């Protein structure tokens, strides 16, 4: 489960840009990313280290 961040935000600008790219990729070629991109986009304003780790899992999925 992903939880709301109560500590300092990490890489907010980079995170929001990559989420936008992920949503573009989802709409064009990978509709299976809809659930994960929507879950991760909830934390765009205040991502923490755990959210970034979950995002890394999605990027690992894309490499396969």
């Amino acid at each position: 489960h992903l939880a709301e961040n109560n500590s300092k935000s990490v890489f907010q600008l980079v995170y929001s840009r990559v989420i936008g790219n992920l949503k573009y990729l989802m709409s064009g070629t990978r509709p299976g990313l809809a659930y994960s991109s929507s879950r991760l986009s909830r934390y765009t304003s205040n991502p923490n280290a755990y959210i970034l780790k979950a995002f890394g899992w999605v990027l690992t999925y894309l490499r396969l």
Side-chain angles (χ1 to χ4, degrees):
H1 296 287
L2 299 176
E4 187 175 325
N5 186 14
N6 294 326
S7 61
K8 186 177 178 184
S9 159
V10 180
F11 301 112
Q12 180 181 5
L13 183 60
V14 174
Y15 183 79
S16 61
R17 286 180 181 171
V18 176
I19 285 291
N21 291 334
L22 184 65
K23 287 190 170 253
Y24 176 75
L25 181 65
M26 174 203 65
S27 67
T29 60
R30 299 270 187 132
L33 292 174
Y35 178 75
S36 59
S37 65
S38 69
R39 291 290 293 184
L40 290 172
S41 66
R42 294 178 187 182
Y43 305 101
T44 303
S45 65
N46 198 11
N48 61 13
Y50 185 72
I51 301 296
L52 291 176
K53 186 175 181 180
F55 189 73
W57 294 331
V58 173
L59 292 179
T60 302
Y61 166 74
L62 288 174
R63 283 188 228 152
L64 297 175

